[in-house]
Amino acid sequence: METKIIRVAQGKESTLSQLYINGIFQCYLLEDKIREVKIASETAIPKGVFSLKLNTYGTKNVQYKKALGKLHEGMIEITGIPNFNFVYIHTGNTKKETAGCPLCGFGFVFIDGDYEVSQSVAAYKMIYPKLVALAKEASNKISIENNFQF
């Protein structure tokens, strides 16, 4: 499966992206601002090619297991990112909830100079099984690229 995050717009402190699996649009993603110098929990993932894995430990994993039950097999973690650890694709709506991670949503709005995503839980439940299948492939890849359109 080919998986891509394509960044399409930047706000003052946020970045809006689109997630594609096998060339098919899945949902929007919200990240922090792209920065030349990383600020912990406030910086978007750099562009590049990385891997996905299932992370089955930690507080967030326990929270998602309680909320999602049998659907949840572990957090979808993007690995191999220089100077970044524990980068999960997860739920949330605003840049305050990203902590350096992509948040998923079916829609987006632009408010006071920044982007927010909507219907995050629904989007997560839709993409999660696809990302789990990908994470279980030994040589999976996820590419992140910039293609700012607005």
Side-chain angles (χ1 to χ4, degrees):
M1 275 194 274
E2 180 183 55
T3 308
K4 285 186 179 185
I5 295 174
I6 301 176
R7 296 187 172 126
V8 295
Q10 281 201 276
K12 292 186 295 189
E13 296 294 324
S14 61
T15 305
L16 183 69
S17 303
Q18 297 171 337
L19 175 67
Y20 291 85
I21 298 175
N22 290 334
I24 299 170
F25 174 77
Q26 302 294 311
C27 67
Y28 293 99
L29 297 175
L30 179 71
E31 292 181 82
D32 288 305
K33 179 179 179 175
I34 297 170
R35 301 176 193 279
E36 291 295 319
V37 177
K38 179 184 176 185
I39 299 173
S41 297
E42 295 181 22
T43 304
I45 305 162
K47 61 184 179 176
V49 179
F50 309 106
S51 297
L52 295 177
K53 78 170 193 174
L54 284 175
N55 183 322
T56 57
Y57 56 90
T59 303
K60 199 163 218 45
N61 186 60
V62 171
Q63 293 168 343
Y64 276 56
K65 186 68 174 171
K66 284 181 184 176
L68 300 172
K70 291 181 182 179
L71 175 68
H72 185 76
E73 296 183 45
M75 297 303 298
I76 301 295
E77 183 176 356
I78 303 173
T79 62
I81 307 167
N83 302 313
F84 284 76
N85 293 308
F86 307 109
V87 175
Y88 304 127
I89 296 174
H90 64 90
T91 62
N93 301 100
T94 70
K95 61 184 174 56
K96 293 176 185 170
E97 298 164 290
T98 62
C101 300
L103 308 176
C104 52
F106 280 141
F108 70 90
V109 294
F110 188 69
I111 299 173
D112 295 328
D114 274 306
Y115 290 92
E116 296 180 6
V117 292
S118 60
Q119 298 177 294
S120 186
V121 173
Y124 186 81
K125 286 179 178 179
M126 190 272 297
I127 65 167
Y128 182 80
K130 298 173 188 181
L131 294 175
V132 166
L134 180 66
K136 288 180 177 179
E137 291 180 9
S139 61
N140 74 71
K141 299 285 182 234
I142 183 167
S143 65
I144 300 172
E145 55 190 66
N146 298 334
N147 184 15
F148 296 109
Q149 299 172 8
F150 51 97

